[in-house]
Amino acid sequence: MHTEGERLIPINIVDEMKSSYIDYSMSVIVSRALPDVRDGLKPVHRRVLYGMYGLNVFSNRKHLKSARIVGDVLGKYHPHGDTSVYDAMVRMAQPWSLRYQQVDGQGNFGSMDGDPPAAMRYTEARLRKISDEILADLDKDTVDFQNNFDDSMTEPTVMPTKIPNLLVNGASGIAVGMATNMAPHNLSESIDAIVAYIENKEITIDELMKHIIAPDFPTGGIIYGYDGVRDAFHTGRGRIVLRAKVGFEEIGNRNAIIVTEVPYQVNKAEMIARTAELVKDDKIPGIYEIRDESDRTGLRVVYELKHDAIPNVVLNMLYKYTSLQTSFSVNNIALVKGRPIQLNVKDIIHHFVDHRHEVIVRRTEYDLRKAKERAHILEGFMKVIGTQDDLDKAIAIIRHSANPAAAKEGLIQEFDLSDIQAQAILDLRLARLTGMELDKIRAEYEEIMTMIKDLEDILSNEPRRYSIIKEEMLEMKEKYGDERRSVIDYSGGEMSIEDLIPDEKVVLTISHAGYIKRTSLSEYKIQSRGGVGNRAATTRDEDFLEYIVAATNHQYMLFFTEKGKCFWLRVFEIPEGSKTAKGRAVQNLINIEPDDKIKAYIRTDDLKNTEYINQMNVVMVTKNGTIKKTSLEAYSRPRTNGVNAIEIRDNDQLLGARLTNGTSHIMIATKNGKCIRFPEEKARAVGRGSIGVRGISLEKGDEAIGMIVVNDLENDTVLVVSERGYGKRTAVLDYRETNRGGKGVITLNVTEKTGNLIAIQSVTDEDGLMIINKSGVAIRMGMDEMRVMGRNTQGVKVINLKKNDEIAAIAKVEMDSDVAEVIEEGEESTEVNTAPDSNNPEFSEVPLTGDNAISNLGDPEVLRKIEEEEKENNSGETPESSEEKSED
């Protein structure tokens, strides 16, 4: 039963649900979850800023209790829970959440580990300087205001911001039926893009991307691959892969992976806990211990590895299974005139510039209105107090009037004033009636008339308005711009990296123990003339620089291991190190097995050059005398885990690999003193999977010890050395050309006195040689010390060995002529003492430790100076610590 007078309206529940849900979703979309394209703020953030503006907590005032600010925002503008307001304000103050914070917090505002902030009664806040720019000109009628929730006051619908907030701070929010996730960008880059857009409205997105390169996250990290960035800029949607910034260190005798920056929005504590679980479950083998060593100076997470673990392999597992690699899905949805629209980067810039243009028009109109009002009053002053007679007349009218209204009426009639002018005269203080004040009034009037003219010019001149936007933008860049934090690793994606990395010359140095680094060629050029030269690269004990080659960033290094695998590194992927740095162990850069060893390094030109890769061949030789020639084309598709370069059977191993040009000659030597020479055409090219062909026929118990490739038959000579210290140099032409697979001819008469042959090298007078004994002594000699002699002789004693000592290895110190030229130009640097030194005494013998390994072994004076310099540099550090320093 229903009471009298009550009316029931039957409605369809489906229609009611539809309309109610649409109302609710529109409210969420417009008034809660999505930012406005113009100022990049959601209502709650706008209200927090406006509430702080109302409380006058600017960047130059003292902090105010957060609870006071939150209470004000709740009571005046935002009728929701206090936690929603406080949480929003806390986020605006966190350096890891916003690229450019808007609130300056004092107290505990949470941490990257997900720790909650202190309650609002304990913390304090004020606006940051950059927020003053977001609120600038708010009092000049630059934006529309609307009533608050109870119509008792008004609040701005948008901020007149000078900061392109949507671009630089991004936004994320889940509405109904849609969501937004916008990445933060660098302010300097964003402003460069905005300026470029103002200068040319028809600019393409690709041209804008030369200015605004990629997102720039507050926590830094590495943007891995560029395709997602390009998609996001062009369409407003894209998936950006983020990686932590990682380095390798040696801690004690263990390798360690050091994380110094994590991807955006990653909870560090959760990431470490999750990784620890995976290690416990054996999902990620190889990790010995995880430590969080972060402190107030910065983030540092240490993954200490087990002895047999390969850092690169462990790192790839961490990327795969933990938040060391995450993805950020860009979805640029923002409110344009109250409607949610998906925007590309040019749309965002376009709407921001339009907003700034409107703000400048409205600000100028306001200033003009105020200037005209003031000019009107000054005109009244000049009419009334322009001369002494007028002034006396005005004073008389005021004195004889019964009340202010009569006085005003009298002034209006006598001087033809407006109501406003007459009131201003009545409000004048007597002090303003002096002659000096009258001059001031006239000067102010002239100034205001000039200003009015200028403001009218701004309003009538659109190009000028845009140039004002540009000037203000550049001023913001000057004040708040900073370096970008997120690094872009273009090689992660499909983008052609050649467009992005200059193909400049670098010097690659590889030590005997496999430490590699690249150094810009310019580092060698800037040394001053004379003097001892700079301190050379710190190498480890019993190590020295073996290869010094000039390369360019686009070239490749191929690494061949004794198990017959091939790995690649682009030259730009090799870590950069100064001249004094030790470099990084190659094992840490490629996924090589723990029990495998690198046997050969080959530098090649760009593997995308089809003509080059089809013309060049890789020739390999194994201990059992097998030779294999394969076109370089077969090795032109790099894979992270390497490829099989040659099939290695039991009891065999790869000895070396060289690049040939199709017309080279190949020489293989065996430990019993035999050597064969044949043109490379005799070995037909085979596929990468095959095992190769016989290079030299071995007698029982014999084995190959090395191969050389000869390109200059006239001038190259062959050096062979035996383990008891005998060796000799012979002209290549002394070895007759034969067919592949023969037994070869005698290269050195092997006797008990000489011991087995252990090395063969192709040398010229300019080359330097390092001889390493089993006892750890290194001898340096220049090849010009050794005369060329006949083939079938025992050779000469290259080195006097102590009792029972033998030669372990010889290494030609290879240096490109390009590098040598540049270094000679600079000065006699100790770095280059790995190259032959014509002033060397015949042989120098020095225990092979530390820097001596590559210093000028022949010159005690130089050695003394280097030692002194070392003492000065290290000032009490152990050699290990100075090595670690240089590696960093």
Side-chain angles (χ1 to χ4, degrees), residues 45-62:
H45 301 121
R46 197 175 297 121
R47 285 164 176 167
V48 167
L49 291 175
Y50 189 59
M52 292 173 85
Y53 172 84
L55 289 166
N56 277 332
V57 274
F58 292 109
S59 56
N60 54 356
R61 308 288 166 86
K62 70 184 185 62

Side-chain angles (χ1 to χ4, degrees), residues 568-588:
W568 294 260
L569 278 180
R570 296 297 295 262
V571 169
F572 59 75
E573 291 176 314
I574 293 167
E576 199 161 359
S578 66
K579 293 212 314 283
T580 54
K582 178 177 67 177
R584 179 85 59 76
V586 180
Q587 276 89 330
N588 293 349

Side-chain angles (χ1 to χ4, degrees), residues 558-568 593 596-602 617-622 626-637 639 641-649 652-658 684-693:
L558 270 55
F559 302 92
F560 292 86
T561 72
E562 69 177 27
K563 287 189 175 181
K565 289 199 83 169
C566 169
F567 295 88
W568 294 260
E593 291 175 25
D596 206 355
K597 276 213 297 281
I598 293 171
K599 280 294 191 182
Y601 307 93
I602 293 181
N617 301 306
V618 176
V619 174
M620 287 163 276
V621 68
T622 74
T626 302
I627 184 172
K628 175 176 176 184
K629 181 170 96 171
T630 307
S631 166
L632 180 58
E633 195 275 332
Y635 302 100
S636 63
R637 287 169 290 281
R639 290 196 206 150
N641 292 324
V643 295
N644 290 328
I646 181 171
E647 190 187 326
I648 297 289
R649 299 266 164 96
D652 200 0
Q653 63 182 47
L654 184 70
L655 288 180
R658 302 301 286 255
R684 64 185 176 81
V686 292
R688 194 167 53 76
S690 59
I691 191 167
V693 293

Side-chain angles (χ1 to χ4, degrees), residues 551-762:
T552 65
N553 277 329
H554 291 192
Q555 291 180 325
Y556 283 78
M557 284 299 287
L558 270 55
F559 302 92
F560 292 86
T561 72
E562 69 177 27
K563 287 189 175 181
K565 289 199 83 169
C566 169
F567 295 88
W568 294 260
L569 278 180
R570 296 297 295 262
V571 169
F572 59 75
E573 291 176 314
I574 293 167
E576 199 161 359
S578 66
K579 293 212 314 283
T580 54
K582 178 177 67 177
R584 179 85 59 76
V586 180
Q587 276 89 330
N588 293 349
L589 301 175
I590 55 179
N591 297 340
I592 180 174
E593 291 175 25
D595 57 343
D596 206 355
K597 276 213 297 281
I598 293 171
K599 280 294 191 182
Y601 307 93
I602 293 181
R603 181 203 61 194
T604 73
D605 287 353
D606 194 339
L607 296 180
K608 294 187 178 69
N609 178 344
T610 45
E611 190 184 334
Y612 171 77
I613 57 174
N614 286 313
Q615 180 191 333
M616 303 302 278
N617 301 306
V618 176
V619 174
M620 287 163 276
V621 68
T622 74
K623 200 164 77 173
N624 289 349
T626 302
I627 184 172
K628 175 176 176 184
K629 181 170 96 171
T630 307
S631 166
L632 180 58
E633 195 275 332
Y635 302 100
S636 63
R637 287 169 290 281
R639 290 196 206 150
T640 321
N641 292 324
V643 295
N644 290 328
I646 181 171
E647 190 187 326
I648 297 289
R649 299 266 164 96
D650 292 346
N651 304 323
D652 200 0
Q653 63 182 47
L654 184 70
L655 288 180
R658 302 301 286 255
L659 208 57
T660 64
N661 58 18
T663 60
S664 309
H665 278 237
I666 290 162
M667 297 181 74
I668 303 171
T670 75
K671 75 173 183 188
N672 287 351
K674 290 287 184 64
C675 181
I676 188 169
R677 167 166 84 92
F678 56 88
E680 67 165 294
E681 300 94 78
K682 301 273 184 180
R684 64 185 176 81
V686 292
R688 194 167 53 76
S690 59
I691 191 167
V693 293
R694 181 165 302 290
I696 185 166
S697 296
L698 299 175
E699 290 161 7
K700 200 172 180 190
D702 201 0
E703 60 186 43
I705 49 113
M707 162 189 77
I708 59 171
V709 168
V710 181
N711 291 318
D712 183 351
L713 294 177
E714 302 291 327
N715 298 319
D716 278 3
T717 59
V718 179
L719 170 76
V720 286
V721 179
S722 74
E723 50 193 10
R724 302 289 304 131
Y726 285 82
K728 71 170 205 280
R729 262 177 89 188
T730 314
V732 170
L733 294 174
D734 274 10
Y735 295 86
R736 70 173 197 277
E737 189 181 308
T738 64
N739 267 332
R740 171 186 65 72
K743 287 190 174 162
V745 293
I746 290 172
T747 179
L748 184 115
N749 237 344
V750 169
T751 63
E752 200 154 316
K753 187 168 80 167
T754 63
N756 287 330
L757 208 61
I758 59 145
I760 177 171
Q761 286 285 3
S762 143

Side-chain angles (χ1 to χ4, degrees), residues 221-292:
I222 292 166
I223 293 168
Y224 187 65
Y226 201 67
D227 287 355
V229 175
R230 199 188 291 104
D231 293 345
F233 279 164
H234 278 272
T235 65
R237 290 185 82 106
R239 184 171 161 275
I240 297 172
V241 177
L242 287 173
R243 282 185 161 186
K245 194 172 272 182
V246 169
F248 295 102
E249 271 181 30
E250 284 180 26
I251 296 176
N253 56 355
R254 292 180 190 278
N255 281 323
I257 295 170
I258 311 290
V259 175
T260 49
E261 289 174 8
V262 294
Y264 185 45
Q265 291 170 332
V266 164
N267 180 318
K268 174 165 61 73
E270 272 180 23
M271 175 187 88
I272 292 170
R274 171 86 184 112
T275 310
E277 275 175 36
L278 291 168
V279 171
K280 200 169 148 194
D281 298 344
D282 271 347
K283 287 263 173 59
I284 304 180
I287 293 180
Y288 170 71
E289 188 183 8
I290 307 173
R291 289 191 303 278
D292 185 355

Side-chain angles (χ1 to χ4, degrees), residues 465-574:
R465 293 197 293 276
Y466 280 108
S467 78
I468 290 171
I469 298 174
K470 197 160 97 178
E471 280 162 29
E472 288 183 351
M473 285 293 103
L474 292 169
E475 188 191 328
M476 293 303 102
K477 178 182 170 181
E478 184 67 32
K479 274 191 185 173
Y480 308 105
D482 56 5
E483 295 295 313
R484 78 174 292 119
R485 294 179 193 169
S486 296
V487 180
I488 305 153
D489 179 355
Y490 296 100
S491 58
E494 296 303 306
M495 183 157 187
S496 145
I497 187 146
E498 284 78 0
D499 306 340
L500 304 150
I501 289 183
D503 197 16
E504 62 189 21
K505 282 205 162 186
V506 293
V507 176
L508 292 183
T509 51
I510 306 175
S511 79
H512 186 65
Y515 281 77
I516 187 169
K517 68 171 192 285
R518 78 185 152 93
T519 309
S520 172
L521 201 55
S522 59
E523 259 213 50
Y524 287 92
K525 287 182 173 173
I526 52 180
Q527 305 168 351
S528 56
R529 279 194 176 277
V532 184
N534 291 1
R535 186 157 66 99
T538 14
T539 48
R540 323 206 103 208
D541 287 359
E542 303 188 11
D543 195 8
F544 58 91
L545 296 189
E546 192 172 329
Y547 298 91
I548 301 181
V549 287
T552 65
N553 277 329
H554 291 192
Q555 291 180 325
Y556 283 78
M557 284 299 287
L558 270 55
F559 302 92
F560 292 86
T561 72
E562 69 177 27
K563 287 189 175 181
K565 289 199 83 169
C566 169
F567 295 88
W568 294 260
L569 278 180
R570 296 297 295 262
V571 169
F572 59 75
E573 291 176 314
I574 293 167

